[in-house]
């Protein structure tokens, strides 16, 4: 934060946005219209004005900051590039925005393109927005978040990715996400908001009562390492994620209907268990990548999920919620171990 590298990133983002969007801050001019300063950081914000309902907003965001120091498998390599965390998320937001801006006819609703600073310090950029939004929260239809895209956590999961939290916008948002991902070529699994572990910028929006969906590939062995470099990015996967996201944001910006925030949704559901079982079964093909203790934990969770799914939705209860949440957290921790590899040659 507040380094030469951060300033160069800001300059790049403003130059890109200036090609197809306008600065969001109408009280400022020039480059300042694209910025929102807060303690220790700077958010970068562009706007594609809507033609029919310009005072209703779909916000699409990703954090552009990364770490100053991180784990490394090579003592000679200490640069924390953050290719998948989160340059690819930033690339997705830029690509979605540019595509929508260049289509014939502006979107009905306005689309805000948000690039958050200081996410790695506790979601401080998006929290600064919630505390002082440049567009009203009550007129924000949905927030769409991108964090870790074009990443593979295992060879067997190259086509697997996640859409997290759409239930916060009720059946309408869940269905809109479903339409967008069904048209794509990836196995995108919808999960409840808790499975994002509150570790990205979707969380402050949900806490503020704004429907949100968080797209992520989860964390693999390259997470927060110096080896998270451009050559481990799965660009074909990233391209499909951008296409899916463009469909969704176009839909959100054009539909007459508006998702309504749903508070107090269940922490986990039977559908979560079904989705995790499908992912877990696929991941067992790579069981030999892990040590004996990790294998035992993965197999135990897979067996527990099999029992929950076999029992059916009517039997899904509090004990099952605990099993699913704890098992998912353990699995994410296990998948984050091992040698950094984009698994592009497997």
């Amino acid at each position: 934060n507040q380094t030469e590298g951060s300033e160069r990133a800001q300059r790049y983002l403003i130059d890109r946005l200036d090609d197809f969007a306008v600065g969001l801050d109408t009280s400022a001019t020039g480059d300042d219209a694209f910025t929102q300063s807060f303690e220790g950081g700077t958010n970068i914000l562009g706007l594609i004005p809507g033609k029919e309902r310009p005072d209703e907003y779909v916000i699409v965001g990703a954090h552009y900051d990364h770490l100053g120091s991180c784990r490394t498998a090579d003592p000679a390599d200490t640069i924390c590039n953050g290719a998948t965390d989160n340059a690819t998320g930033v690339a997705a937001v830029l690509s979605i925005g540019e595509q929508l801006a260049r289509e014939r006819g502006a979107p009905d609703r306005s689309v805000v393109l948000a690039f958050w600073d200081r996410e790695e310090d506790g979601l401080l950029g998006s929290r600064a927005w919630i505390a002082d939004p440049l567009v009203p929260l009550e007129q924000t239809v949905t927030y769409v978040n991108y964090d870790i895209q074009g990443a593979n956590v295992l060879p067997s999961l190259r086509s697997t990715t996640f859409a997290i939290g759409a239930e916060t916008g009720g059946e309408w948002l869940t269905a809109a996400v479903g339409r967008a991902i069904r048209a794509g070529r990836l196995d995108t699994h919808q999960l409840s908001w808790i499975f994002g572990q509150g570790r990205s910028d979707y969380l402050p929006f949900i806490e503020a009562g704004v429907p949100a969906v968080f797209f992520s590939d989860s964390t693999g062995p390259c997470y927060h390492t110096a080896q998270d470099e451009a050559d481990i990015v799965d660009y074909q996967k990233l391209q499909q994620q951008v296409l899916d996201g463009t469909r969704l944001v176009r839909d959100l910006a054009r539909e007459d209907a508006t998702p309504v925030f749903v508070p107090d949704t269940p922490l986990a559901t039977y559908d979560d268990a079904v989705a995790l079982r499908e992912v877990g079964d696929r991941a067992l093909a790579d069981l030999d990548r892990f040590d004996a203790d990790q294998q035992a934990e993965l197999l135990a969770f897979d067996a527990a999920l099999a029992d929950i799914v076999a029992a059916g939705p009517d039997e899904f209860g509090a004990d099952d919620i605990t099993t699913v949440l704890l098992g998912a957290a353990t699995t994410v921790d296990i998948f984050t171990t091992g040698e950094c590899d984009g698994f592009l040659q497997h």
Side-chain angles (χ1 to χ4, degrees), residues 26-318:
T26 57
S27 68
T29 59
D31 291 349
D32 289 343
F34 290 95
T35 67
Q36 180 191 40
S37 297
F38 61 96
E39 185 176 357
T42 304
N43 293 330
I44 305 298
L45 303 156
L47 174 69
I48 302 170
K51 63 180 179 181
E52 298 294 337
R53 285 163 285 170
D55 294 330
E56 296 180 12
Y57 302 90
V58 177
I59 303 178
V60 191
H63 74 91
Y64 74 91
D65 66 306
H66 195 53
L67 303 171
S69 61
C70 58
R71 295 180 293 119
T72 182
D74 179 3
D77 181 5
T78 59
I79 298 173
C80 306
N81 304 276
T84 62
D85 182 23
N86 187 33
T88 51
V90 169
V93 175
L94 284 171
S95 297
I96 290 168
E98 186 166 18
Q99 174 63 32
L100 294 177
R102 304 217 186 279
E103 290 179 353
R104 177 177 295 180
D108 291 343
R109 292 185 171 109
S110 294
V111 177
V112 175
L113 307 172
F115 303 94
W116 312 117
D117 201 356
R118 302 199 68 185
E119 186 269 356
E120 300 288 3
D121 298 323
L123 319 180
L124 297 187
S126 53
R127 291 195 185 282
W129 170 272
I130 295 297
D132 184 23
L134 298 186
V135 301
L137 293 178
E138 61 271 18
Q139 292 167 220
T140 301
V141 173
T142 306
Y143 173 61
V144 182
N145 188 69
Y146 286 91
D147 196 352
I148 306 183
Q149 298 285 275
N152 300 314
V153 299
L154 287 172
S156 56
L157 300 181
R158 281 195 62 178
S159 65
T160 298
T161 188
F162 301 96
I164 298 165
E167 79 281 0
T168 59
E171 293 182 2
W172 189 90
L173 183 56
T174 301
V177 172
R179 289 192 299 271
I181 63 180
R182 276 195 300 273
R185 296 193 300 271
L186 296 176
D187 297 318
T188 304
H189 297 269
Q190 291 206 53
L191 294 174
S192 298
W193 72 267
I194 195 66
F195 290 95
Q197 300 182 337
R199 292 167 63 179
S200 192
D201 294 298
Y202 76 101
L203 182 62
F205 284 86
I206 290 177
E207 291 175 337
V210 176
V213 59
F214 166 31
F215 289 94
S216 182
D217 292 327
S218 189
T219 53
C222 298
Y223 177 67
H224 282 186
T225 71
Q227 285 67 54
D228 183 7
E229 300 176 335
D231 59 3
I232 64 99
V233 174
D234 188 331
Y235 290 98
Q236 290 183 335
K237 186 176 191 178
L238 178 59
Q239 182 182 39
Q240 187 60 57
Q241 289 166 327
V242 169
L243 292 173
D244 293 350
T246 303
R247 276 190 292 270
L248 174 62
V249 177
R250 183 189 294 119
D251 197 5
L252 294 174
R254 289 181 177 176
E255 282 290 327
D256 290 334
T258 301
V260 176
F261 182 74
V262 180
D264 303 321
T265 56
L267 286 179
T269 67
Y270 177 79
D271 289 341
D272 291 325
V274 171
L276 292 173
R277 176 82 201 288
E278 292 175 359
V279 174
D281 278 355
R282 185 174 297 175
L284 292 181
D286 296 312
L287 197 63
D288 60 356
R289 294 186 58 83
F290 305 105
D291 65 34
D293 290 341
Q294 291 172 328
Q295 289 184 27
E297 290 196 79
L298 292 173
L299 288 170
F301 185 42
D302 186 70
L305 286 174
D307 290 342
I308 290 171
V309 172
D314 292 340
E315 299 299 318
F316 190 81

